[in-house]
Amino acid sequence: MKITTITTMAALLMGAASAVAQDTAYTKPAGFVTHTLKAGQFNLIGLTLHQPVTVAGDFETVSGTSLSDTDVDFGSTLTAGKTYILEITDAADTELNGHIQEVTVWSNNTITTNDDMDAQGLAVGDKYQLRAASTIADVFGVDNSVGLQGGASATVADNIYLPTDSGFDVYFYSTGGFFGTGWRKDGGGSSSFADQPIFLSDGFYVLRRGADMEMVHTGSVKVTDAVLAITKEYTRVSGMYPVGSTLGSSNMNEDLQGGASATVADQVLIQKEEGGFDVYFYSTGGFFGTGWRQDGGGSVDKSSIELPSAFLIKRVGASDFNLKLSKPASYSNL
């Protein structure tokens, strides 16, 4: 699947791959990307531009799932009913840098996380930032301004497949009839799902029933490392960054299991424009040498392969693990 990336960040553009369309200007790190959605295909995409940071600071109390910053009144700073993303940006335990938590509960100076961050080693003085999670309306337009094919049911409209713990929920733009007009969930009746969050680390599918189309998405660039949870045999993850991220620069080989062949190593699956996937793995020696290789590609170095907006991780082991995705080097001064 082709993804054309255009941003307004000169520093990032200088590090972008030659296949990426470029528009140079000296501004803050924000811009837009254009995804090409292929007809009749499940297009795997992810959010590489995000909502701006709402608040940043450091924690003065860390107790279980409760994290407090007395310099911030979260009750007045955050918007009720929204989902926010907590990112740890500078922790004494550097292994926590890049960790992401979903936040839906807060009061006064305290936010509540799903995981026990105290037990994971978060400490007083560790720095963080919060940004709102993008929603279906943010990404596709409250009235479907991006132009997906709508319809009276999910069977005739383009579908958005958002991952859940057990599979996917399917969303579509209803153009009338029994379900009314607006964003709906298949099986969810006439309730509006315009505010359904899309977690920034998740890859998701768009099933395009109409002709090929280009979808533009705007937002801010994440300029810190990311840590993604690999919890299934196949995990769909977001590429997180709009330009400049490659297999080599990502440093994923530090967390993925390598091996002498693709059959014994964790795999990175990148969707091809015509459908299907190219398979990459980190070779640890033997016939293929050491480094990033493509399954079926012999010993040719593939470290410069650009990461798309989303890709699949196939793990060979049974245990969950965290995968750190390093930001491109060109983002260091942003």
Side-chain angles (χ1 to χ4, degrees):
M1 178 185 56
K2 178 182 177 184
I3 299 174
T4 301
T5 306
I6 306 175
T7 74
T8 57
M9 302 161 290
L12 294 183
L13 292 172
M14 289 187 289
S18 60
V20 176
Q22 300 181 358
D23 180 18
T24 303
Y26 291 88
T27 70
K28 62 184 180 180
F32 64 92
V33 295
T34 304
H35 302 276
T36 299
L37 303 180
K38 302 296 291 183
Q41 183 171 302
F42 284 87
N43 297 274
L44 179 61
I45 65 174
L47 302 183
T48 57
L49 294 173
H50 314 286
Q51 297 298 310
V53 172
T54 303
V55 62
D58 57 84
F59 293 118
E60 290 164 298
T61 303
V62 176
S63 178
T65 61
S66 296
L67 312 175
S68 299
D69 180 355
T70 57
D71 294 326
V72 180
D73 181 0
F74 295 109
S76 60
T77 303
L78 306 184
T79 301
K82 279 187 172 291
T83 296
Y84 287 85
I85 307 300
L86 168 70
E87 302 170 62
I88 306 303
T89 57
D90 187 8
D93 179 356
T94 56
E95 291 297 315
L96 287 174
N97 292 340
H99 276 251
I100 298 169
Q101 286 280 299
E102 188 175 290
V103 175
T104 59
V105 177
W106 57 83
S107 177
N108 300 321
N109 307 118
T110 301
I111 60 175
T112 301
T113 56
N114 291 326
D115 295 338
D116 186 337
M117 297 303 293
D118 189 2
Q120 294 191 28
L122 195 70
V124 170
D126 287 350
K127 298 184 183 301
Y128 72 93
Q129 60 188 26
L130 276 169
R131 68 178 84 224
S134 293
T135 64
I136 287 178
D138 291 329
V139 176
F140 298 96
V142 66
D143 56 355
N144 187 29
S145 56
V146 301
L148 293 184
Q149 179 172 302
S153 70
T155 59
V156 297
D158 288 347
N159 292 168
I160 302 165
Y161 283 73
L162 297 185
T164 66
D165 290 339
S166 58
F168 295 93
D169 283 334
V170 179
Y171 301 86
F172 69 101
Y173 191 78
S174 174
T175 53
F178 178 78
F179 300 116
T181 301
W183 290 106
R184 303 293 185 258
K185 182 168 76 170
D186 189 24
S190 58
S191 299
S192 173
F193 285 87
D195 293 331
Q196 174 66 35
I198 301 176
F199 199 55
L200 85 175
S201 63
D202 287 344
F204 59 96
Y205 290 109
V206 178
L207 172 59
R208 174 65 176 161
R209 300 188 193 276
D212 291 0
M213 67 167 287
E214 292 189 338
M215 184 189 90
V216 175
H217 176 228
T218 62
S220 296
V221 177
K222 176 175 165 58
V223 297
T224 56
D225 295 339
V227 176
L228 313 176
I230 306 302
T231 59
K232 300 179 177 69
E233 179 183 5
Y234 288 92
T235 301
R236 299 152 190 87
V237 298
S238 167
M240 303 297 288
Y241 308 105
V243 291
S245 189
T246 66
L247 285 171
S249 72
S250 70
N251 293 318
M252 287 190 292
N253 57 290
E254 296 180 4
D255 296 313
L256 294 177
Q257 178 174 309
S261 71
T263 58
V264 296
D266 290 335
Q267 299 174 2
V268 178
L269 285 72
I270 295 179
Q271 191 173 32
K272 296 186 285 188
E273 185 172 353
E274 66 274 17
F277 291 86
D278 287 323
V279 178
Y280 301 91
F281 69 102
Y282 193 82
S283 174
T284 53
F287 179 79
F288 300 115
T290 302
W292 283 104
R293 302 292 184 260
Q294 183 175 356
D295 189 24
S299 59
V300 178
D301 177 45
K302 295 295 182 178
S303 60
S304 63
I305 292 295
E306 186 174 4
L307 292 177
S309 70
F311 50 92
L312 281 167
I313 298 294
K314 180 185 178 183
R315 71 180 190 195
V316 294
S319 300
D320 297 350
F321 64 92
N322 288 325
L323 175 67
K324 183 177 181 181
L325 194 64
S326 296
K327 65 182 183 294
S330 56
Y331 289 38
S332 297
N333 295 322
L334 295 177

